[in-house]
Amino acid sequence: MAAKSSLKTPKGTRDWVGGDLLLRDHIFTVLERHGGTPLDTPVFELGSILSEKYGEESRLIYNLADQGGEACSLRYDLTVPFARWLSMRSDVQHIRRYQIAKVYRRDQPAVARGRLREFYQCDFDIAGVYDPMIPDAEILCIIVEVFEALEIGVGVKINHRNILDGLFEVAGVPADRIRATSSAVDKLDKAPWDEVRQELLGKGLTEEVVDRVGGYVQRRGGMREMFASLGSDAELAAKKTLMEGVADMELLASYLEAMGVVDKVSFDLSLARGLDYYTGLIYEVVVDGTNQPTQVGSIAAGGRYDDLVGMYGRRPLPCVGISFGVDRIFTILDARRKKKSSSNLRGQAEVYIMAFGGKEFEGLLLERMRVARQLSGAGIRAEFSAKVKPKPLQQFNASEGVPVAVMLGQDELEAGQVRVKCLHVGDKDAAKDKGQLIPRENLVDEVRRLVAGTP
Amino acid sequence: MAAKSSLKTPKGTRDWVGGDLLLRDHIFTVLERHGGTPLDTPVFELGSILSEKYGEESRLIYNLADQGGEACSLRYDLTVPFARWLSMRSDVQHIRRYQIAKVYRRDQPAVARGRLREFYQCDFDIAGVYDPMIPDAEILCIIVEVFEALEIGVGVKINHRNILDGLFEVAGVPADRIRATSSAVDKLDKAPWDEVRQELLGKGLTEEVVDRVGGYVQRRGGMREMFASLGSDAELAAKKTLMEGVADMELLASYLEAMGVVDKVSFDLSLARGLDYYTGLIYEVVVDGTNQPTQVGSIAAGGRYDDLVGMYGRRPLPCVGISFGVDRIFTILDARRKKKSSSNLRGQAEVYIMAFGGKEFEGLLLERMRVARQLSGAGIRAEFSAKVKPKPLQQFNASEGVPVAVMLGQDELEAGQVRVKCLHVGDKDAAKDKGQLIPRENLVDEVRRLVAGTP
């Protein structure tokens, strides 16, 4: 038997119930609208599938215990399982897929800010060989449309791995410190430059190199303006991979202009993304508003990862995609919605079946059951009191929130009639409304009409 | 890097994609219709929450590796997490909840028969103190309605733990062998009596006791007939808990008759259910048809568990519920549906945007992007070729399965016009149909009208 003190969910996890789940479902519905092919993968993968994909973050992977058989780990994101699936399905040359599922990270949880150890991600990815930057532009367009639909004001920060790595090389960062420099720079959205500067010095870079890095990565601005600034620097302009990155970004900008979303996007040279597998464009979505920009961190992020599928040894396949942080989006929308009754645990019954009678009232339970079965057989969600002889007040209380009532009485039943009524119409006349008496055989049609007419 | 040989999902798990997921979603929709309050719990629980709940089956529980912190296990079913949640939420006195989620068992998988190590269950439970057998009858009614809606012919076998245990006691089974006897008897749906008889003899029961057990548990039949048979046996009639079970069943039968589902239900004294936590009515749903009754085993099962919530030490709360085996239901429906193209991986785009031109055709990519954004901004799922200069045939092939096309041409665009057309109307006139030329500003309305009009 469990001790009382251990009656809880594991650290960093939570239960979801009632109204909270309905809000989460609303988020899913918006995300699904951008569709593509749905994919669902197992919650755990072979350990070898996940290894060497996440760099430093690998220490946060949950492993299953060795109980004999294969070594397995809980999925850390939805990108690596998608790449694994693409490697196995070599018949798939082009696909737009989406997946909504929980992922697992042994991180320090901060539940109030929507940071959990078990959390939902929604991923949308485009895999296949296409003309440059067209799928990338589509993904950015989807990001903008999703947050428009959710009515959350956001900005999308973008950068390009080739540009970032090129800048570091020009600044004099040794090749073996590029990723470490990148991950230090990525903290610039939460920490001031001085702090990042100290970290870089601690990694063995010289003051001169660090200050050149600082000069580059603190630039940000509109896309066109940034291209001009990068192109006018002779040292940068001589760096081939860097200028290829700039050319990608210029093409992207023209597409974003055509799609009318370019004003949502800013070019931010400090954006680096921690994960190892990105190879080109990278992006991160942050909530508008200067007073609480980092409270929930980024609420969506992604990029291009052209080499990940090839790492499984069967064939290369370029991909680009986005992960939406469903729980962080939930935290924002939840804070905004009007607080309803704290225990919003009612189901969604459409009809409540009651029975009333005089002194010798026997409860009419079998009749209530017959009517319930008739209605639910017709696809109408019906409930009734699970008491043999329920009191009128008990039945009215139990019907709270249900739009329609069917009321049974012995005399009326004997005359082949039942009473139907709209509940909670919200004005004073409601109490006086006795509903209407209808022939028993019209019950399903009449209830359907009333349910359809209620808000 | 993963070796090629390990490019697979873990044993007993599978990916779900495209049409398969849409069929699974259809099953979810039917199950959700019976609603109640949705609940979602973490995929893993503290180990102590799961321990001592599953009897012999506990060996099939997946544990997480010890990486510091709490000992956790993957959930084995949805019933125990629900009981844990009810214990924590002592403000909840009555609830009808449903949960659809994956559960985990380290069992021998048989994928073709829908038996996996990771599989979906859909649980519907009613918790709270109610008048006897009313929620139990409601659950049985939901079972019947769900399989009516899924168009799967089923029978529901029911039994009662008090009756079963009473029979064993009257037959002379010692108290400490009751559960073992029960789990041997439960195999009677797959094995002949002779085999079960040998197992019981192996457990140290005498021939006389075993043969009395056999005489009882091989009885089955209509409910009323079985009550009469049990009641007419003086030895059984003297057993108080047994006759209380019979009284429960008689009450239940009257409710099932009122709900018109009694003909789907048969009283089967060999039904025992392996899990320890059941306390009263138990049931199992099997597919109709004598030629393949056990191919997928039972497709739903459940019962009353009045003591499980109390095991967590805070308060007792009686519960009754049902678990639907979603993957087994999937296996049945999948075998039945017409086989579609093997790689049913298309998304659900509603419109495909094409562009055509003469010799100097530049592809009109930015125009296609503008139109795509205009349509998707209006909530219409639009796709276009991710090529700068796509060929006509490439575009027609890529539009397969999409109901509506928007066709762009340079001259028409300059005249402020676009062409819209229904695709794949399925008769010979389709090829001749050039669609209709409309003003650009009517595009969204016209596409919406065409999309709504297609099947």
Side-chain angles (χ1 to χ4, degrees):
Chain A
M1 184 177 300
K4 285 191 190 190
S5 59
S6 65
L7 188 55
K8 65 188 236 2
T9 65
K11 185 175 178 182
T13 68
R14 54 162 291 192
D15 296 316
W16 294 82
V17 65
D20 283 356
L21 267 181
L22 299 179
L23 176 57
R24 201 171 70 183
D25 284 348
H26 165 67
I27 299 169
F28 289 167
T29 305
V30 169
L31 292 167
E32 280 168 359
R33 203 176 293 157
H34 292 276
T37 303
L39 177 70
D40 181 33
T41 60
V43 80
F44 47 81
E45 295 276 347
L46 295 183
S48 56
I49 299 291
L50 267 57
S51 67
E52 293 171 44
K53 303 299 180 304
Y54 300 109
E56 273 186 18
E57 294 187 21
S58 296
R59 70 196 150 78
L60 303 181
I61 293 173
Y62 275 99
N63 297 320
L64 296 190
D66 178 4
Q67 298 173 284
E70 302 156 335
C72 295
S73 303
L74 298 187
R75 63 184 162 215
Y76 184 85
D77 64 10
L78 304 178
T79 310
V80 165
F82 177 50
R84 189 266 305 151
W85 180 81
L86 284 171
S87 305
M88 289 169 61
R89 288 291 301 262
S90 51
D91 59 317
V92 176
Q93 294 300 323
H94 295 95
I95 191 166
R96 306 157 68 92
R97 89 87 177 72
Y98 78 92
Q99 180 169 10
I100 300 181
K102 286 176 173 175
V103 300
Y104 298 87
R105 301 185 184 179
R106 294 179 52 257
D107 212 340
Q108 276 313 308
V111 178
R113 286 184 283 154
R115 202 170 74 186
L116 292 151
R117 289 182 158 194
E118 172 185 63
F119 58 98
Y120 263 102
Q121 282 195 337
C122 170
D123 275 31
F124 185 86
D125 294 77
I126 302 178
V129 176
Y130 299 98
D131 282 342
M133 306 313 285
I134 301 178
D136 313 59
E138 285 191 77
I139 297 277
L140 290 172
C141 190
I142 287 170
I143 294 171
V144 170
E145 290 185 349
V146 161
F147 289 107
E148 277 174 1
L150 293 171
E151 299 179 7
I152 297 177
V154 297
V156 185
K157 299 193 287 187
I158 67 173
N159 198 358
H160 196 296
R161 275 271 161 102
N162 288 2
I163 297 177
L164 196 62
D165 293 358
L167 289 176
F168 294 155
E169 285 172 43
V170 170
V173 178
D176 62 349
R177 311 253 168 92
I178 295 257
R179 285 274 74 78
T181 303
S182 189
S183 93
V185 163
D186 197 46
K187 294 169 188 157
L188 267 180
D189 60 339
K190 299 183 194 85
W193 167 246
D194 275 353
E195 214 168 284
V196 172
R197 189 171 181 277
Q198 289 307 316
E199 182 174 340
L200 288 171
L201 291 173
K203 286 182 198 281
L205 300 186
T206 66
E207 283 211 4
E208 194 205 332
V209 169
V210 170
D211 289 337
R212 288 197 67 179
V213 167
Y216 288 133
V217 300
Q218 290 180 83
R219 297 191 201 175
R220 64 209 64 192
M223 296 182 73
R224 296 291 179 193
E225 171 194 350
M226 293 285 281
F227 301 149
S229 148
L230 292 171
S232 67
D233 182 324
E235 237 182 328
L236 300 181
K239 192 87 199 165
K240 187 162 168 283
T241 54
L242 191 156
M243 292 320 287
E244 283 169 359
V246 172
D248 273 356
M249 293 290 257
E250 288 185 316
L251 191 58
L252 178 70
S254 68
Y255 295 157
L256 298 181
E257 280 159 6
M259 290 171 159
V261 299
V262 74
D263 57 313
K264 294 282 187 188
V265 175
S266 68
F267 191 175
D268 185 334
L269 284 168
S270 74
L271 176 70
R273 307 281 307 128
L275 295 174
D276 274 5
Y277 51 60
Y278 291 116
T279 55
L281 185 70
I282 48 180
Y283 30 83
E284 211 168 87
V285 181
V286 291
V287 179
D288 273 350
T290 47
N291 50 346
Q292 43 175 317
T294 58
Q295 206 198 334
V296 297
S298 67
I299 54 176
R304 177 162 282 283
Y305 51 102
D306 285 350
D307 299 337
L308 186 57
V309 174
M311 286 175 76
Y312 294 106
R314 292 213 179 156
R315 56 132 181 199
L317 195 70
C319 299
V320 61
I322 178 77
S323 300
F324 293 93
V326 175
D327 300 70
R328 292 179 178 190
I329 294 170
F330 175 88
T331 302
I332 293 167
L333 295 181
D334 186 45
R336 187 189 292 173
R337 69 176 163 169
K338 293 176 218 98
K339 283 293 171 197
K340 291 175 195 149
S341 78
S342 60
S343 64
N344 179 8
L345 298 182
R346 260 212 80 79
Q348 299 94 50
E350 297 166 306
V351 182
Y352 199 90
I353 302 154
M354 309 178 184
F356 305 103
K359 269 184 198 165
E360 290 171 27
F361 178 55
E362 290 293 336
L364 294 172
L365 175 59
L366 297 187
E367 270 309 321
R368 286 183 282 135
M369 286 179 162
R370 266 182 212 112
V371 169
R373 164 78 173 138
Q374 190 186 359
L375 292 172
S376 71
I380 298 163
R381 288 183 194 156
E383 284 185 16
F384 56 91
S385 166
K387 282 190 167 296
V388 174
K389 294 186 197 174
K391 298 195 173 66
L393 194 62
Q394 284 174 332
Q395 297 181 86
F396 276 113
N397 288 341
S399 73
E400 196 191 325
V402 182
V404 173
V406 172
M407 296 160 163
L408 309 180
Q410 188 63 48
D411 295 347
E412 292 160 358
L413 282 170
E414 280 166 14
Q417 294 183 310
V418 293
R419 197 173 284 279
V420 293
K421 183 185 158 178
C422 284
L423 294 170
H424 314 289
V425 288
D427 59 41
K428 285 171 191 165
D429 295 336
K432 289 183 222 151
D433 173 17
K434 299 283 179 212
Q436 59 180 131
L437 211 52
I438 58 165
R440 173 73 189 263
E441 61 264 31
N442 298 355
L443 180 64
V444 168
D445 288 343
E446 197 57 36
V447 167
R448 207 173 257 153
R449 198 182 60 76
L450 287 179
V451 168
T454 55
Chain B
M1 185 178 298
K4 286 192 191 191
S5 60
S6 65
L7 188 55
K8 64 187 239 357
T9 64
K11 184 175 178 182
T13 68
R14 55 161 290 192
D15 297 314
W16 294 82
V17 65
D20 282 358
L21 267 181
L22 299 179
L23 176 58
R24 201 172 69 183
D25 285 347
H26 164 68
I27 299 169
F28 289 167
T29 305
V30 169
L31 292 168
E32 280 168 359
R33 203 176 293 156
H34 292 277
T37 302
L39 177 69
D40 181 34
T41 60
V43 79
F44 48 81
E45 295 276 346
L46 295 182
S48 57
I49 299 290
L50 267 58
S51 67
E52 293 171 45
K53 305 298 181 304
Y54 299 109
E56 272 185 21
E57 295 187 21
S58 295
R59 70 196 151 77
L60 303 181
I61 293 174
Y62 275 99
N63 297 321
L64 296 190
D66 179 4
Q67 297 172 283
E70 303 156 334
C72 296
S73 303
L74 298 187
R75 63 185 162 214
Y76 184 86
D77 64 9
L78 304 178
T79 310
V80 165
F82 177 50
R84 188 266 306 152
W85 180 82
L86 284 171
S87 305
M88 287 169 64
R89 287 291 302 261
S90 52
D91 58 317
V92 176
Q93 294 300 323
H94 295 93
I95 192 167
R96 305 157 69 90
R97 89 87 178 73
Y98 78 92
Q99 180 170 9
I100 300 181
K102 286 175 172 176
V103 301
Y104 298 87
R105 300 185 184 179
R106 295 178 53 257
D107 211 341
Q108 276 313 307
V111 177
R113 283 184 283 153
R115 203 171 73 185
L116 292 150
R117 289 181 158 195
E118 173 185 65
F119 57 97
Y120 263 101
Q121 282 195 338
C122 171
D123 275 32
F124 184 87
D125 295 77
I126 302 177
V129 176
Y130 299 96
D131 282 343
M133 304 314 282
I134 301 179
D136 313 61
E138 284 192 78
I139 297 276
L140 290 172
C141 189
I142 286 170
I143 294 171
V144 170
E145 290 186 348
V146 161
F147 289 106
E148 277 174 1
L150 293 171
E151 298 179 10
I152 297 177
V154 298
V156 185
K157 299 192 288 188
I158 67 174
N159 198 359
H160 196 295
R161 274 272 161 101
N162 287 3
I163 297 176
L164 195 63
D165 293 357
L167 290 176
F168 294 154
E169 285 172 44
V170 171
V173 178
D176 62 350
R177 312 251 167 94
I178 295 258
R179 284 276 72 78
T181 303
S182 189
S183 94
V185 163
D186 197 45
K187 294 170 187 157
L188 267 181
D189 59 340
K190 299 181 194 86
W193 166 246
D194 274 355
E195 214 169 284
V196 172
R197 186 172 183 278
Q198 289 308 315
E199 181 175 340
L200 287 171
L201 291 172
K203 286 181 197 280
L205 300 186
T206 66
E207 284 212 3
E208 192 203 336
V209 169
V210 170
D211 289 336
R212 287 198 68 183
V213 167
Y216 287 134
V217 300
Q218 290 179 85
R219 297 191 201 175
R220 63 209 64 191
M223 295 182 72
R224 297 291 178 193
E225 171 193 350
M226 292 285 280
F227 302 148
S229 147
L230 292 170
S232 66
D233 181 323
E235 235 181 330
L236 299 182
K239 192 88 199 163
K240 187 163 169 282
T241 54
L242 192 156
M243 292 320 286
E244 283 169 358
V246 172
D248 273 356
M249 294 289 256
E250 289 185 315
L251 191 57
L252 178 70
S254 69
Y255 296 157
L256 298 181
E257 282 159 3
M259 290 172 158
V261 299
V262 75
D263 56 315
K264 294 282 186 188
V265 175
S266 68
F267 192 176
D268 185 336
L269 284 168
S270 73
L271 176 71
R273 306 281 307 128
L275 296 174
D276 274 6
Y277 51 61
Y278 292 116
T279 54
L281 185 69
I282 48 180
Y283 30 83
E284 210 169 88
V285 181
V286 292
V287 180
D288 273 350
T290 46
N291 49 347
Q292 43 175 317
T294 58
Q295 206 197 333
V296 297
S298 68
I299 54 175
R304 177 161 283 284
Y305 51 102
D306 285 349
D307 299 337
L308 187 57
V309 174
M311 285 175 78
Y312 294 106
R314 292 215 179 153
R315 56 133 180 199
L317 194 71
C319 301
V320 62
I322 177 77
S323 299
F324 293 93
V326 175
D327 300 70
R328 293 178 177 190
I329 294 170
F330 175 89
T331 302
I332 294 168
L333 295 182
D334 185 46
R336 186 190 293 173
R337 70 176 162 168
K338 291 177 220 99
K339 283 295 171 197
K340 292 177 194 146
S341 78
S342 61
S343 65
N344 180 9
L345 298 184
R346 261 213 77 80
Q348 300 96 49
E350 297 166 306
V351 182
Y352 199 88
I353 302 154
M354 307 179 184
F356 306 103
K359 270 185 197 161
E360 289 169 29
F361 179 56
E362 289 294 335
L364 293 171
L365 175 59
L366 298 187
E367 269 309 322
R368 285 184 282 136
M369 286 179 163
R370 268 185 210 109
V371 169
R373 164 77 174 140
Q374 189 187 359
L375 292 172
S376 71
I380 299 163
R381 288 183 194 158
E383 282 185 20
F384 57 92
S385 166
K387 282 191 168 296
V388 174
K389 293 185 199 175
K391 297 195 174 67
L393 194 61
Q394 284 176 331
Q395 297 180 83
F396 275 114
N397 288 342
S399 73
E400 196 191 325
V402 182
V404 173
V406 172
M407 295 160 165
L408 309 181
Q410 188 62 48
D411 296 347
E412 291 159 359
L413 282 171
E414 281 166 14
Q417 293 183 311
V418 294
R419 197 174 284 279
V420 294
K421 183 186 159 178
C422 284
L423 295 170
H424 315 288
V425 290
D427 59 42
K428 285 172 192 165
D429 296 336
K432 290 182 221 151
D433 172 16
K434 298 283 178 212
Q436 60 180 130
L437 210 52
I438 59 164
R440 171 74 189 263
E441 62 264 30
N442 297 356
L443 179 64
V444 168
D445 287 345
E446 196 57 34
V447 166
R448 207 172 258 153
R449 198 182 61 77
L450 287 179
V451 168
T454 55

